[in-house]
Amino acid sequence: MAQEIKVGRNATKEIDLNALHHNVKQIKRLAPHSKIIAMLKADAYGHGAVKVAQALTEIAALGVAHFEEALTLRRAGITQPIILMSSYLTAEQLQRACEENLQWVIHSTWQIHLLQQTSLNKPLHVWLKIDTGMHRLGFLPQEAAAAWQALQACEHVQKPISLMTHFACADDLNCPLTSQQIHLFNQVTAGWPGARSLANSAGIFAWPASHADWVRPGIMLYGISPFSGKTGAELQLKPVMRVKAPLLAIRTLPAGACIGYGSTYRCAEASTMGVIGIGYGDGYPRRAPNGTPVYLEGRIVPLVGRVSMDMITVKLDPCALPPIGTEAILWGPELPIETVAKATRTFVYELACQTGIL
Ligand SMILES: Cc1ncc(COP(=O)(O)O)c(C=O)c1O
């Protein structure tokens, strides 16, 4: 009988679409009167934008950063409105965006000029972005009325114009800025028709006054907490991603042996080590220190020595040795990504996005 051979790389990731649907339910429970723009930037935060979008047929709209991300979704047959949050577009790309039924966030006057000067076969749905305190993209409150009027007067812009802002510190419950941003946004846009959107994941959880017509969840969609010091599970979310890699070797090393590049870990006694097939080339953070938790066959084992490009070493209990090939879990339902992010002093969003390669 032919033996089935597993093809592929050592490190792999699993995406749990049931967990994704569970997290959508949580978003709907928290913001029951708002529609959802699912944020699929950076390949859905490393989870695979096409796979995630194909599972989110009940979600009203999708948000991406780049034009190419939107086209990839369209090529995969995704039909919902897609909002280009921070895309540079040429006149040609603008025409294509219009044909592909994309929406564009307008944050600068060059975009208004481009809309005025480019002939489109139908008006484009745009979102006017107001900078209420994030100070990244958007029109300042004192510039917003002129921008809105220019868009109102532009025949290539669909009416009513949608309105949005983005929070700088919504994950900090004690920061007064978020309330100020909500207030400023409401003040600036008072009397203007059009749908409004303010809330990211932290806004959905912590700032109900920001829910408005559309919420824009990113990280919570994937079961990850937007708050440092809290896990997704503590917020009733379920992790969508599980990253795993096989045990490649078990080594018994004498007292005094040092592990890996730079010899940064020294065995105080004779020790049994396991080598696992994942490294920084797969998105596992190189800065992970000794002691970073790894889940292996029902228990947590500590990482020892430096992370290599495609391998890490962990200390094993010689009385409980798993068979070669056993899949270690680097993060997932068994080991929260937030715990690994904290141990490695890595931003949890970055940890998820870096696995895009898997
Ligand atoms: C404009 C905008 N809205 C919403 C989000 C989603 O944020 P979060 O992942 O914190 O929910 C992002 C993410 O960076 C964003 O840039």
Side-chain angles (χ1 to χ4, degrees):
M1 212 169 87
Q3 228 188 324
E4 198 186 318
I5 298 175
K6 191 181 157 205
V7 243
R9 46 193 309 142
N10 285 334
T12 52
K13 88 188 148 191
E14 285 173 8
I15 299 301
D16 180 352
L17 297 176
N18 290 329
L20 182 74
H21 291 301
H22 167 89
N23 299 333
V24 169
K25 261 195 220 141
Q26 294 303 313
I27 297 166
K28 289 183 175 166
R29 188 178 60 77
L30 289 160
H33 306 298
S34 308
K35 286 189 276 183
I36 297 174
I37 301 169
M39 296 301 291
L40 305 188
K41 306 193 313 180
D43 205 20
Y45 293 44
H47 292 69
V50 168
K51 192 185 272 190
V52 169
Q54 281 168 343
L56 291 181
T57 46
E58 87 273 29
I59 294 293
L62 309 172
V64 298
H66 310 298
F67 187 45
E68 186 54 38
E69 290 177 311
L71 294 185
T72 302
L73 293 175
R74 284 286 180 258
R75 277 185 222 113
I78 303 301
T79 55
Q80 287 113 308
I82 301 177
I83 302 154
L84 302 168
M85 294 283 165
S86 51
S87 296
Y88 175 77
L89 295 180
T90 62
E92 264 177 15
Q93 289 169 330
L94 179 57
Q95 280 162 341
R96 177 85 193 273
C98 191
E99 283 159 25
E100 297 284 358
N101 216 4
L102 307 182
Q103 304 178 8
W104 198 22
V105 170
I106 307 300
H107 50 78
S108 298
T109 44
W110 71 263
Q111 296 174 286
I112 301 178
H113 294 152
L114 191 69
L115 281 162
Q116 288 164 338
Q117 289 155 16
T118 310
S119 63
L120 300 175
N121 56 12
K122 60 175 192 289
L124 188 77
H125 186 143
V126 302
W127 292 72
L128 176 63
K129 185 163 191 172
I130 298 160
D131 177 7
T132 54
M134 169 82 170
H135 297 152
R136 187 175 61 181
L137 287 180
F139 293 93
L140 289 167
Q142 61 272 28
E143 303 165 341
W148 185 78
Q149 276 152 13
L151 289 171
Q152 274 294 110
C154 181
E155 57 174 329
H156 302 138
V157 168
Q158 191 179 306
K159 315 295 176 328
I161 299 160
S162 297
L163 305 162
M164 68 176 285
T165 194
H166 192 48
F167 293 138
C169 307
D171 56 325
D172 180 353
L173 308 189
N174 299 315
C175 179
L177 181 61
T178 309
S179 299
Q180 290 163 12
Q181 287 193 263
I182 297 169
H183 178 72
L184 199 50
F185 181 77
N186 291 339
Q187 203 177 36
V188 170
T189 62
W192 295 349
R196 284 155 168 76
S197 176
L198 304 87
N200 54 2
S201 297
I204 293 167
F205 275 112
W207 306 93
S210 73
H211 288 176
D213 301 299
W214 292 87
V215 290
R216 305 191 305 272
I219 200 80
M220 71 180 294
L221 201 51
Y222 309 106
I224 303 172
S225 166
F227 305 110
S228 64
K230 269 213 158 48
T231 63
E234 286 167 339
L235 297 168
Q236 279 74 55
L237 301 173
K238 290 188 179 170
V240 175
M241 183 191 291
R242 178 190 276 118
V243 173
K244 49 190 197 153
L247 181 62
L248 300 177
I250 295 176
R251 317 280 317 286
T252 304
L253 296 170
C258 293
I259 309 287
Y261 289 119
S263 300
T264 58
Y265 178 90
R266 186 172 182 279
C267 299
E269 65 218 337
S271 306
T272 309
M273 301 296 179
V275 180
I276 293 169
I278 190 166
Y280 60 81
D282 306 295
Y284 193 82
R286 182 177 180 277
R287 71 176 78 90
N290 288 323
T292 300
V294 172
Y295 181 93
L296 185 60
E297 230 188 26
R299 61 177 71 198
I300 297 291
V301 293
L303 181 132
V304 291
R306 259 191 208 149
V307 172
S308 300
M309 189 181 287
D310 36 43
M311 281 174 273
I312 57 172
T313 301
V314 293
K315 191 165 193 298
L316 300 177
D317 175 352
C319 303
L321 295 180
I324 294 295
T326 301
E327 302 255 44
I329 292 161
L330 290 311
W331 58 81
E334 299 81 0
L335 172 59
I337 189 170
E338 295 90 348
T339 305
V340 180
K342 192 169 176 212
T344 59
R345 277 178 256 112
T346 308
F347 185 44
V348 72
Y349 288 62
E350 197 181 332
L351 209 50
C353 289
Q354 278 169 354
T355 64
I357 192 166
L358 297 180

